[in-house]
Amino acid sequence: MSKLQIYMKTLIKKKTTINKKDNLIILTDKKDNLKQYGISEKEHVYIKKVNDEIISINQYDRYLFIVKPKKNRNINLHSENCRLIGDRLIERLIDVNSIVIIDTIMKNDDALKIAEGMALSNYIFDKYKKEQIKKLKEIHIVSNTTSKEINELNKVIEGVYFSRDLINEPFSHLKAIDLAAAAKKSSNNNGFKVKVLLKKEIENLKMGGLLAVNQGSLDEPTFTIMEWKPKNAKNKQPIVLVGKGIVYDTGGLSLKPTKDSMDLMKVDMGGAGIVIGTMQAISANKLPVHVIGLAPATDNRPSGNAYAPGDVITMYDKTTVEVLNTDAEGRLILADALSYAKKYDPQLVIDLATLTGSAANSIGHYGIVSMHKGAKSEHEKLKQVGHKVHERLAEMPFWSEYDDLIKSDIADIKNIGGAQAGAITAGKFLSHFVNYPWIHLDIAGPTFTKEKYGYRGKGATGMGVRLLYEFIKNIYEKN
C-alpha cells in the first residue's frame, strides 16, 4: 500500500495587531487614512492617482498592496472577483511565509473571499519533485470576520486540498485499496465512519457492474462506505453522495488513444475524490446533517480476463446490461452503487463522475453538466449554490425520447446510446437504477485542467467540494 501525500495547507488566521515588518494587503474603498500602515506621503499621492484593483507599493523590505475590488451589483460575481484577486496576489508573492489582509471597510466579507482565493491558489502538488516550491504558510485577517467563519473556511479548503491530492496522485501510487485507505485516514482524523468492502464481499453482494469492470485488473476492487451521522442531525433521511472511483482507465478492450486521453486517466476517480473531500469537510465542521458517501473503485484494464464488447452482465439490482463499449465503464460501477443506495431510503442522492467526453466538450472546464430525476427543487437550490461558490451547473435536457437510445435487443438496457447526446444517455443509463430524488453531476470537464484556471490552479481543481458542502450546509440552516 502506497503512502499518500500529506498536503501542505495554507492556514487562515484572525489577527488583531500589526507589526511594521508585516507584509500587508490593505482592502479599502477610500484610499485615505492609510498612513498608520507605514505609507508615506508620496506613496499616498501615487495611490490616489491609480485606479487599478491591485496597487503594488515597493517598500523593499516588505510586500504592500492596496486592493479596491470593482463594484458589481451581482454579489456572486463580486465574491468570485475577490477570489480571483486573491489568485492574482499569490502570483506576486515570492518567498513569503505570511501576509496580513487588513479590511479598513469592516462591513463585508471581501477579505475572507480574497483569503479563500489566495489559499486555494496556493496549492501545489510537488510531492515527486526533488526541490519543493516554497509556499505561503499563513494568511492573517484583520476584519470583522469571526474566528468561527475562518475556522470553517479552513476546513473546507483542507477538504479541497485533500481531493486535489487524491486526483493528482498517479495510478502507480493510488490503487483502489489506496483510495479506500485515504478515506479511512480522513475518517480517523475527522470522525466519520468508514467501512471498506473487498472483493469477496462485493462478490457476495453480486455487484455485477463493479466486478465486470474489475475482471481485467490485477488488483482487487473496493466499495467504500462513509457515514457522518451526528446525534443532532436535522434530517431524518440521509443525503447520499456517490463518486465514481476508476483509479485508472485504459478503456479496457475498447482501448483509448494515449495522447490527450489515456495519459490523463489517473483522474477518472475524480468523483470519488470529491466525495471523500466533501465528507471530510462536513465532518470536520460538524454539520448537523446525516450524510453517507459511497465510492466504488477499480481500474479498467484489457487483460485476458477482461469483459468484452458484446458481453451481457447482471447488475446488483438484477438488471441485465449489454456491454457495447468497455470504455463506458464508469456508469456500470456507479449503477451498482446507486442501486445499493436504496437501502438507506435517502432524502436525496447526488452522484459525481468524470463520466463522458461529451460533457467536457459541451461546456469545457467552466462548469458541471447536470441532470436530475424527481429532484427539481433540490436541483434548483444546487444551481443557486453553484452561482454562489462559482461552481456552476449546466442542466441538460432529460426528455423521455432519450430512453429509447439505451434500449438493447438482447438485454434490459445497453451501456451506450450512440454518437449523439452522450452525456445525456449516460445519465439516462444511471437513472434506470434510481427510485429516489436524484441529481447527476458529470464533472469530466472541470476535474482536471492542463492550463491554470484561476485559483483552481493547474491539474486537479477539487471542483465539487465547495459546491456540495455549501449545499448541504444550507439544507440544515433552513430547516
Side-chain angles (χ1 to χ4, degrees):
M1 189 180 299
S2 61
K3 186 176 181 180
L4 292 172
Q5 167 88 350
I6 304 298
Y7 53 85
M8 292 293 292
K9 62 185 177 183
T10 307
L11 193 63
I12 303 171
K13 297 181 177 181
K14 188 169 177 64
K15 189 171 183 176
T16 55
T17 59
I18 303 166
N19 299 318
K20 289 183 179 180
K21 292 186 178 181
D22 282 337
N23 298 297
L24 299 183
I25 296 169
I26 302 175
L27 179 61
T28 180
D29 63 355
K30 292 185 177 180
K31 297 185 182 177
D32 59 3
N33 194 29
L34 302 178
K35 293 180 181 179
Q36 61 180 306
Y37 304 117
I39 296 176
S40 69
E41 188 63 38
K42 286 185 178 180
E43 289 168 341
H44 206 263
V45 171
Y46 171 71
I47 290 167
K48 285 186 175 182
K49 289 181 179 179
V50 180
N51 292 317
D52 296 343
E53 283 189 301
I54 301 174
I55 303 171
S56 178
I57 305 296
N58 187 354
Q59 292 193 336
Y60 301 104
D61 60 342
R62 67 171 181 172
Y63 284 97
L64 198 156
F65 301 97
I66 307 300
V67 174
K68 183 183 177 183
K70 292 177 183 177
K71 293 182 180 179
N72 193 319
R73 291 182 180 180
N74 185 317
I75 186 62
N76 293 328
L77 293 180
H78 177 78
S79 294
E80 178 64 6
N81 183 50
C82 286
R83 295 186 198 101
L84 291 171
I85 287 174
D87 172 60
R88 287 156 59 193
L89 286 164
I90 282 290
E91 291 181 341
R92 301 189 187 193
L93 297 174
I94 301 171
D95 291 339
V96 176
N97 285 326
S98 68
I99 196 156
V100 181
I101 301 174
I102 303 171
D103 180 8
T104 65
I105 306 167
M106 295 291 180
K107 292 181 180 179
N108 53 42
D109 65 349
D110 287 2
L112 195 61
K113 299 302 181 189
I114 290 171
E116 180 182 15
M118 292 181 73
L120 289 169
S121 180
N122 198 48
Y123 171 91
I124 299 172
F125 188 79
D126 57 1
K127 152 179 194 180
Y128 299 108
K129 288 181 175 289
K130 286 183 179 179
E131 294 185 13
Q132 295 189 333
I133 301 169
K134 290 184 179 180
K135 294 170 279 189
L136 186 67
K137 293 180 180 178
E138 293 180 349
I139 301 169
H140 299 269
I141 298 181
V142 180
S143 75
N144 284 343
T145 303
T146 66
S147 295
K148 182 179 179 182
E149 290 174 313
I150 291 172
N151 291 336
E152 179 184 22
L153 178 59
N154 273 323
K155 289 169 183 175
V156 173
I157 291 172
E158 287 174 21
V160 175
Y161 270 41
F162 194 51
S163 289
R164 287 177 176 178
D165 273 350
L166 291 173
I167 297 167
N168 280 323
E169 195 72 50
F171 176 53
S172 56
H173 292 69
L174 189 75
K175 306 296 192 272
I177 192 66
D178 300 313
L179 188 65
K184 186 66 177 174
K185 180 177 180 179
S186 179
S187 74
N188 292 337
N189 295 331
N190 297 287
F192 61 94
K193 295 180 180 178
V194 169
K195 181 179 181 181
V196 179
L197 305 185
L198 301 177
K199 186 174 183 179
K200 188 65 177 177
E201 294 165 293
I202 295 169
E203 287 174 337
N204 290 339
L205 288 172
K206 297 181 179 179
M207 288 187 166
L210 179 53
L211 291 168
V213 178
N214 180 251
Q215 278 178 206
S217 175
L218 296 173
D219 304 308
E220 292 194 356
T222 59
F223 188 85
T224 302
I225 303 167
M226 298 159 275
E227 184 170 24
W228 170 247
K229 189 177 182 181
K231 292 181 180 179
N232 61 337
K234 302 272 185 167
N235 51 333
K236 294 181 179 178
Q237 298 169 274
I239 296 169
V240 179
L241 307 177
V242 181
K244 172 186 170 183
I246 298 293
V247 290
Y248 190 78
D249 182 21
T250 67
L253 290 174
S254 303
L255 198 66
K256 292 177 182 287
T258 297
K259 182 175 171 51
D260 297 326
S261 184
M262 198 194 301
D263 52 348
L264 295 177
M265 283 301 104
K266 68 176 185 178
V267 310
D268 214 17
M269 41 59 66
I274 296 301
V275 169
I276 294 169
T278 303
M279 292 297 297
Q280 173 172 307
I282 289 168
S283 57
N285 279 316
K286 294 181 169 48
L287 293 190
V289 187
H290 184 194
V291 185
I292 293 168
L294 303 177
T298 180
D299 57 293
N300 181 28
R301 289 200 172 196
S303 84
N305 291 323
Y307 75 133
D311 284 356
V312 173
I313 61 176
T314 302
M315 308 294 286
Y316 172 72
D317 75 340
K318 309 305 180 189
T319 295
T320 56
V321 174
E322 182 185 11
V323 177
L324 294 181
N325 189 324
T326 63
D327 194 25
E329 85 299 327
R331 65 200 70 182
L332 297 177
I333 73 169
L334 281 174
D336 278 344
L338 290 171
S339 296
Y340 188 83
K342 295 174 185 176
K343 67 179 288 186
Y344 299 110
D345 186 25
Q347 171 186 337
L348 173 68
V349 174
I350 303 175
D351 78 69
L352 299 95
T354 50
L355 205 61
T356 64
S358 174
N361 291 334
S362 295
I363 65 169
H365 63 263
Y366 303 104
I368 299 169
V369 166
S370 69
M371 287 151 256
H372 65 89
K373 179 179 178 181
K376 185 176 181 179
S377 63
E378 293 91 342
H379 185 261
E380 187 57 37
K381 291 174 184 175
L382 188 63
K383 285 174 72 174
Q384 292 171 8
V385 170
H387 287 293
K388 182 178 179 180
V389 302
H390 212 73
E391 297 188 352
R392 299 161 296 178
L393 305 189
E395 183 178 359
M396 294 288 114
F398 218 45
W399 303 318
S400 59
E401 288 88 341
Y402 292 113
D403 291 313
D404 294 336
L405 299 181
I406 60 168
K407 289 181 178 178
S408 167
D409 292 333
I410 64 171
D412 295 325
I413 53 176
K414 58 185 179 181
N415 77 326
I416 56 171
Q420 296 180 331
I424 298 171
T425 54
K428 279 294 184 180
F429 178 90
L430 296 177
S431 73
H432 176 88
F433 299 89
V434 306
N435 65 350
Y436 40 67
W438 165 74
I439 297 172
H440 167 52
L441 302 179
D442 192 329
I443 58 173
T447 293
F448 190 94
T449 60
K450 290 184 176 181
E451 302 296 332
K452 186 177 182 297
Y453 178 32
Y455 56 82
R456 295 170 180 87
K458 179 180 179 181
T461 65
M463 189 182 287
V465 173
R466 292 165 57 244
L467 173 71
L468 293 177
Y469 177 86
E470 192 68 25
F471 173 72
I472 291 170
K473 176 186 174 183
N474 284 357
I475 288 176
Y476 89 79
E477 283 185 338
K478 293 181 180 180
N479 282 346

